[in-house]
Amino acid sequence: MPLAPTSFLIDAAREAHVGAAAFNVIHLETAEALVTAAERTGIPLILQISENCIRYHGSLLPITRATLALAEGSSARIAVHLDHITDAELVREGITAGVGSIMVDASALPYEENVATTAELTSWCHDRGAYVEAELGEVGGKDGVHAPGVRTDPDEALAFVSATGVDALAVAVGSSHAMHERTAVLDKELIAALRAALPVPLVLHGSSGVPDDELRRAVAAGMTKINISTHLVSVFTQSIRGTLDANPSLVDSRKYVKPAREAVAEEAARLLGVLATPATVPEQYAAQAPARG
């Protein structure tokens, strides 16, 4: 199936009041597992390649071309997205390579520099038909810069979106990157207020630390794109650890990587089902949410 536009998957999810799943690729095995999950469930999926992933592989093209090939060869509707890209050259290289969307991450810069950098790269990407996500201030936990208590201000977020022209915005509402326990409680009232204030879809980073029901409630309140990485990485690692503990003489990596790939496929399929299940908007913030669909 041809590569799906990220904008199409996000807009369709927003209209259906469900989450647009965005799961991170770490290496070829996880990319294969995630594609398998999308094919088994029939639920669309955004495959994300982060700048950290690119650095791990040494350059952008090998892992990106492999991921694009998997997506294009799949029977599922799959988009490929670059996540947390701070290097402008990687932005340009990724879009030129055929990636349809990108997260321009200038959030570590002072506000005015963030705006200027994001606006310039967004214009360049839009001229080439690419979809752009950005972040206003870092989400809690990333590189230890912010505590999980940080929150996005709706007025500042609207000013940022208006000044940069981005298509989607990652917001801080109580999640934190790289959480290993799924215990986060999100600020649903703030999500609804942001959804009412902004003309673009909202993106939840750090979703690995958010339990299933809380993810559903966040989507019901107005969140659209849901990024998950650490949780699925943990599933992969735990499977390998268990296989090697049970079989310490194993030397053929395929014999412990294959069950890990299957474990990720199973958990990714389950999460796709979670995000594709609509939830009811609780009364305390339903009035803030605009009409959708």
Side-chain angles (χ1 to χ4, degrees):
M1 183 178 290
L3 199 66
T6 300
S7 58
F8 175 80
L9 299 189
I10 290 177
D11 288 347
R14 198 181 194 196
E15 183 175 350
H17 305 175
V18 298
F23 298 161
N24 278 60
V25 170
I26 306 300
H27 33 56
L28 183 60
E29 287 78 12
T30 50
E32 291 169 339
L34 298 176
V35 168
T36 297
E39 291 174 345
R40 288 178 182 174
T41 61
I43 298 170
L45 175 62
I46 300 166
L47 294 178
Q48 301 197 138
I49 302 170
S50 72
E51 187 166 314
N52 285 338
C53 176
I54 292 166
R55 301 298 183 203
Y56 167 77
H57 287 281
S59 62
L60 180 140
L61 287 180
I63 188 62
T64 301
R65 284 177 172 165
T67 302
L68 286 167
L70 284 169
E72 291 166 352
S74 174
S75 60
R77 289 172 293 171
I78 297 177
V80 178
H81 171 84
L82 296 187
D83 185 38
H84 282 292
I85 305 298
T86 65
D87 184 334
E89 287 307 309
L90 286 179
V91 170
R92 298 184 179 96
E93 188 178 357
I95 299 304
T96 301
V99 172
S101 63
I102 196 156
M103 183 204 170
V104 173
D105 188 356
S107 63
L109 299 175
Y111 178 79
E112 294 300 334
E113 292 182 40
N114 184 359
V115 169
T117 299
T118 303
E120 179 183 356
L121 289 172
T122 297
S123 177
W124 187 91
C125 290
H126 283 174
D127 286 346
R128 289 152 182 81
Y131 186 94
V132 179
E133 174 188 333
E135 184 175 299
L136 173 62
E138 293 187 349
V139 174
K142 188 168 187 284
D143 297 327
V145 176
H146 288 293
V150 69
R151 296 290 185 272
T152 298
D153 176 79
D155 291 336
E156 189 176 28
L158 178 58
F160 181 84
V161 169
S162 300
T164 59
V166 296
D167 303 296
L169 187 69
V171 293
V173 294
S175 61
S176 180
H177 284 95
M179 285 186 68
H180 294 280
E181 295 183 357
R182 304 184 73 205
T183 56
V185 177
L186 303 179
D187 189 336
K188 275 79 69 180
E189 291 187 8
L190 177 57
I191 293 171
L194 288 163
R195 173 66 181 90
L198 300 181
V200 299
L202 305 179
V203 182
L204 184 67
H205 286 221
S207 305
S208 289
V210 184
D212 292 352
D213 287 345
E214 192 73 354
L215 287 175
R216 290 192 186 99
R217 287 189 286 265
V219 171
M223 199 63 69
T224 299
K225 180 171 174 277
I226 308 296
N227 291 10
I228 298 178
S229 179
T230 300
H231 175 63
L232 293 169
V233 171
S234 296
V235 168
F236 188 88
T237 302
Q238 288 167 8
S239 173
I240 287 180
R241 183 174 289 119
T243 301
L244 290 177
D245 285 347
N247 303 275
S249 63
L250 272 182
V251 294
D252 184 345
S253 61
R254 292 170 296 183
K255 293 185 178 180
Y256 53 83
V257 169
K258 183 177 179 180
R261 183 175 60 189
E262 176 58 25
V264 172
E266 290 179 359
E267 180 60 7
R270 192 192 69 78
L271 288 169
L272 284 169
V274 168
L275 296 176
T277 303
T280 302
V281 182
E283 290 183 6
Q284 66 264 33
Y285 52 79
Q288 297 183 52
R292 289 176 280 172

